[in-house]
Amino acid sequence: MPLRANRRFRVLQVAVSALLIATPLAANDFAGLVDIGSGRKLYMECRGEGSPAVILISGKGDRADTWSVRVPGNTGVPVFPEIAKLTRVCAYDRPGTVGALAAEPSRSNPAPLPTSAAGAASDLQALLAAARMPGPYVLVGHSIGGLIARLVASENGVDVAGLVLEDALSEDLYSGLTGDQRALLERLNSGPEDYDMAATFEQVQEARPVRPMPVAVLTAGKPQLTPEAIASGRLPPEVTQAFADALWAAQTTAQNNLADLFPGDRHIIVQNSTHYIHIDQPQATIDAIGDVVEAVRAGKDRLVP
């Protein structure tokens, strides 16, 4: 679960072309607005060639550029340009998200908020159809993007052939927290992209199980709420070590339960990373995506350890 109050913004190292109102061709590099109907356009950027296409689904509040961030001093390459060497890759802005440079506004048209995972999943499916992006897809979901990816896979099982769930939000997270702790977590995660979490968790719980497919579950090995972060004074006074310990215990259990939904697939603990694995340890995300892509190309329905 992301902590917006504790989020670290990095220096973006990718150039984004001017916004164009157009529909991308399936094999062309593209960065612009795609008309998804009902008077709405979503920003999308795509590079590379090949199948399956990898669709990067950002966490709560994050624009597409989160996948192109380079950490100062980190020699690892960002996820987006590296996956473009392997296959077609696309990322997009949801309404209400902000950028990695200085909280720049979403490049997509605004939409009513709060939304839910089902609403975001519907937007993504409309975007892929409007962009004429052929399947099969490997969906890569970070944080709340993992719930969106699972709903799309549940509803569109023919086209979705693989999943990478990067420290994905689980519907079990709140089960390990008290009502007051849940409320505090939601306050910490308040921001321009607002979700109805009760509706979101209910939607995922009621969805059909995802059909067998190669799945990699990546779990952060380090909590965001460290003793140093709590002592810094930058967080609300209610954020105590007891709260941090309860959140980490609930997150650990929820991640294990999430991995258990995909028996025979792979659960990877990324020991030297906090919640933003694709920023802290991008190679771990790149490797997981590559493994799932290769498994899909080989016709496998599981990502064996």
Side-chain angles (χ1 to χ4, degrees), residues 32-62:
L33 291 170
V34 178
D35 191 334
I36 66 168
S38 302
R40 293 180 59 210
K41 299 179 179 69
L42 295 183
Y43 175 84
M44 185 183 200
E45 53 188 69
C46 301
R47 286 171 57 184
E49 298 179 1
S51 179
V54 171
I55 311 300
L56 302 173
I57 310 172
S58 304
K60 182 179 184 292
D62 294 322

Side-chain angles (χ1 to χ4, degrees), residues 82-131:
E82 193 68 9
I83 297 303
K85 300 175 184 177
L86 173 67
T87 193
R88 185 69 163 163
V89 61
C90 300
Y92 69 107
D93 289 6
R94 295 189 302 273
T97 55
V98 296
L101 280 175
E104 310 95 326
S106 172
R107 294 157 289 191
S108 295
N109 291 166
L113 295 171
T115 186
S116 67
S122 178
D123 276 0
L124 176 54
Q125 292 185 84
L127 175 63
L128 294 173

Side-chain angles (χ1 to χ4, degrees), residues 71-260:
V71 179
N74 188 337
T75 58
V77 294
V79 170
F80 187 91
E82 193 68 9
I83 297 303
K85 300 175 184 177
L86 173 67
T87 193
R88 185 69 163 163
V89 61
C90 300
Y92 69 107
D93 289 6
R94 295 189 302 273
T97 55
V98 296
L101 280 175
E104 310 95 326
S106 172
R107 294 157 289 191
S108 295
N109 291 166
L113 295 171
T115 186
S116 67
S122 178
D123 276 0
L124 176 54
Q125 292 185 84
L127 175 63
L128 294 173
R132 291 182 282 145
M133 181 65 58
Y137 312 122
V138 169
L139 303 182
V140 181
H142 171 236
S143 195
I144 207 164
L147 294 179
I148 298 167
R150 286 171 57 196
L151 281 182
V152 174
S154 173
E155 298 167 0
N156 195 11
V158 174
D159 288 331
V160 179
L163 291 172
V164 177
L165 303 175
E166 184 202 309
D167 218 42
L169 180 58
S170 166
E171 63 274 27
D172 288 337
L173 178 65
Y174 280 17
S175 300
L177 301 173
T178 67
D180 287 345
Q181 289 167 341
R182 295 173 194 171
L184 176 54
L185 182 59
E186 292 200 5
R187 289 200 300 275
L188 290 173
N189 282 281
S190 63
E193 188 187 23
D194 187 21
Y195 280 81
D196 183 331
M197 294 311 303
T200 287
F201 287 146
E202 184 177 354
Q203 291 158 2
V204 175
Q205 289 164 344
E206 294 179 351
R208 292 191 301 268
V210 174
R211 68 174 176 83
M213 63 179 64
V215 178
V217 176
L218 301 181
T219 296
K222 296 167 57 178
Q224 285 178 283
L225 289 178
T226 62
E228 292 77 16
I230 295 169
S232 70
R234 298 192 304 267
L235 298 170
E238 305 96 310
V239 180
T240 63
Q241 191 60 52
F243 171 76
D245 292 343
L247 178 59
W248 184 242
Q251 170 70 353
T252 299
T253 299
Q255 286 291 297
N256 290 334
N257 291 346
L258 176 62
D260 288 344

